[in-house]
Amino acid sequence: MHIVTLAGGIGGARFLRGLRTTAPADQITVIGNTGDDITLFGLRVCPDLDTVMYTLGGGIDEQQGWGRADETHVVKDELAAYGVEPQWFGLGDRDFATHIVRSQMLEAGYPLSQITEALCARWQPGVRLLPMTDDRCETHVVIDDERGRRAVHFQEWWVRLRASVPAESIALVGVESAKPAPGVLEAIADADVVILPPSNPVVSIGTILQVPGIRDALLPKTVVGVSPIIGGAPVRGMADACLTAIGVETSAQAVLSLYGSDLLDGWLVAPEDAGVALDGVRVEARPLLMSDPAATAALARAALDLAQELTS
Ligand code: GDP
Ligand code: CA
């Protein structure tokens, strides 16, 4: 069976780890968010692709949920000693190597999709990881703080400001001319089921869905989503700030309506959100906390079971 998933960083990667254990013989293609990508110190950094790659490849810092395990920060400290900005983005030494390889290959003319494949040759994530697009397309956020009203890169708002300044709007710069990366539309066409993990509905899943052609390709498919919101709160992180920015309430119901019944066929909510409903979508209540590997695998199994039920 061919399974396609869309994924951001931590939420997506953890869910995928469960999916991989529960569907080991299946072919899983992951379409990763690249809207978070940023160039730092001359290096191209792809936080969400790397979180998926490190998590599934066994190299993730489990506590933090992103970055490498057993990490040191000598390069970061040396850059700071030179006064080089930005100092708010924490890149570790091991992680730097990934960004050096990627940047070197970009400079040599390789597209991001081929570079991601090359990086995954080392990590063997057990899924096919495709960037949503090879084209440069970055999320920016309009804020108004003591320095005035301006657009900043998503990472500056998320990491430096910890989303503490309200976002007036969120825009995916460059998306109009972005094309799905090679293999993305083919994988969707070939998919038996599509699963949306509990990733950020605005700046992870919402970003991927904005790449021209992707949402349309998903519409005829059986798509099951897992709510990233439990009892009116994002389980971890600050997804509520992103939802507020686009005028959507932080609830499993509102995210369901945001995705819509044209996209979704099934929607998993937490037991406390039973009662959430939308015409044309089968809603089921399941434990949604990815608290340990067994609970995560059970959640992935539930999503897959619902998707298979809805296809038959
Ligand atoms: P990011 O790119 O690292 O922010 O990660 P994602 O976009 O993939 O996922 C972040 C989202 O995952 C958060 O907004 C949370 O709402 C959601 N999330 C994190 N842990 C859990 C969990 O255990 N259960 C559920 N249902 N959602 C979770
Ligand atoms: Ca992200």
Side-chain angles (χ1 to χ4, degrees), residues 222-291:
T222 299
V223 182
V224 167
V226 178
S227 176
I229 306 298
I230 299 179
V235 186
R236 59 174 71 82
M238 308 160 292
D240 48 331
C242 301
L243 286 165
T244 304
I246 63 162
V248 173
E249 187 189 291
T250 300
S251 69
Q253 177 71 57
V255 176
L256 167 59
S257 302
L258 173 67
Y259 287 152
S261 59
D262 53 344
L263 175 66
L264 286 180
D265 300 283
W267 184 236
L268 291 185
V269 299
E272 51 266 58
D273 293 313
V276 163
L278 186 67
D279 270 354
V281 181
R282 171 99 72 87
V283 181
E284 288 192 359
R286 291 279 185 285
L288 293 197
L289 265 185
M290 300 188 287
S291 42

Side-chain angles (χ1 to χ4, degrees), residues 5 9 31 36 54 58 80-81 86 88 96 154 158 166 178 237 241 261 268 270 273 278 283 287 303-304 309-310:
T5 68
I31 302 170
D36 291 14
Y54 294 156
W88 45 262
F96 260 114
F154 169 73
W158 197 247
S261 59
L268 291 185
D273 293 313
L278 186 67
V283 181
L304 200 53
E309 209 178 302
L310 289 168

Side-chain angles (χ1 to χ4, degrees), residues 9-17 51 55 61-66 158 162-163 198-201 203-204 227-243 250 288-293 295-296 299:
I10 301 177
R14 292 205 168 145
F15 180 85
L16 285 166
R17 198 154 53 177
T51 296
T55 301
D61 179 324
E62 292 288 346
Q63 243 48 45
Q64 203 170 235
W66 53 271
W158 197 247
R162 312 244 355 118
S199 282
N200 188 307
V203 295
S204 293
S227 176
I229 306 298
I230 299 179
V235 186
R236 59 174 71 82
M238 308 160 292
D240 48 331
C242 301
L243 286 165
T250 300
L288 293 197
L289 265 185
M290 300 188 287
S291 42
D292 58 59
T296 308
L299 172 57

Side-chain angles (χ1 to χ4, degrees), residues 162-220:
R162 312 244 355 118
S164 59
V165 179
E168 290 185 6
S169 59
I170 299 179
L172 187 55
V173 179
V175 70
E176 299 80 6
S177 54
K179 292 175 298 299
V184 166
L185 295 181
E186 293 81 351
I188 295 172
D190 199 33
D192 298 300
V193 297
V194 176
I195 297 185
L196 309 185
S199 282
N200 188 307
V202 184
V203 295
S204 293
I205 305 278
T207 303
I208 301 168
L209 291 174
Q210 280 180 64
V211 176
I214 292 188
R215 190 185 167 101
D216 284 347
L218 291 171
L219 295 183

